[in-house]
Amino acid sequence: MAPNLMTKTAAAPKGNTLRVKHEEEAKPEVKARKKGFSLFKWLDKYTNVDFLFQEGVPTKYLPHVLFLTGITLFYIGNTHYAEKTIRKIAKIKVETEDLRADYTTLKSDYMGASKQSEVARNVAPLGLVESSSPPYQVEVAADEY
């Protein structure tokens, strides 16, 4: 078998030795900051929540946080759904008003066209005339039928 060239040979174990800081590795100088208003300084000063994370992330609050997150997402979704429904209602309302106006117009046209005088005028080119005698009832004897 070919030797694996990627592995290192075992070195002598390291012992516990004292680390010495060298003068050359001194910390770089920090620039002096301007004094004035800073939004993040103000937020850090008045909303300091570092005490919550001193022992790590508080997992005992995780169910409550997830529950509140779920409620918030449901609330946002419900708001979007309600706004979409309101827009649909407004659109259908306008459509209904247009259809009602069309219905009224067609109904008045039909009422005008179904008058006796209008019907007589429309059928005159066909050679049909309006009867001047009243209608009569034809009586048939009971034994003929």
Side-chain angles (χ1 to χ4, degrees), residues 100-126:
R100 185 175 320 182
D102 291 344
Y103 167 75
T104 305
T105 304
L106 290 173
K107 184 178 177 183
S108 66
D109 290 345
Y110 176 71
M111 293 293 279
S114 64
K115 287 184 185 176
Q116 183 180 355
S117 59
E118 287 293 320
V119 172
R121 188 170 359 133
N122 290 338
V123 297
L126 299 174

Side-chain angles (χ1 to χ4, degrees), residues 6 9 22 29 36 40-41 47-48 51 61 64 66 75 80 85 87 90 98 102 122 124 136 140 143-144:
M6 297 300 287
T9 57
H22 299 287
E29 293 181 23
F40 294 110
K41 281 185 186 178
T47 61
N48 190 6
F51 66 92
Y61 299 117
H64 301 293
L66 292 176
Y75 178 74
H80 285 293
T85 305
R87 284 192 298 270
D98 290 344
D102 291 344
N122 290 338
Y136 58 90
V140 178
D143 60 347
E144 288 183 22

Side-chain angles (χ1 to χ4, degrees), residues 15-79:
N16 290 333
T17 58
L18 182 63
R19 293 185 184 179
V20 180
K21 289 187 180 180
H22 299 287
E23 295 296 326
E24 299 159 358
E25 296 179 11
K27 290 184 181 178
E29 293 181 23
V30 178
K31 294 181 181 178
R33 294 191 173 189
K34 288 190 218 176
K35 290 189 176 184
F37 180 76
S38 171
L39 177 65
F40 294 110
K41 281 185 186 178
W42 183 79
L43 284 173
D44 190 38
K45 180 178 177 183
Y46 291 108
T47 61
N48 190 6
V49 291
D50 289 339
F51 66 92
L52 289 175
F53 301 105
Q54 286 176 351
E55 288 112 28
V57 178
T59 57
K60 68 180 181 179
Y61 299 117
L62 193 59
H64 301 293
V65 169
L66 292 176
F67 178 72
L68 290 176
T69 303
I71 288 178
T72 304
L73 290 175
F74 176 76
Y75 178 74
I76 291 170
N78 192 27
T79 303

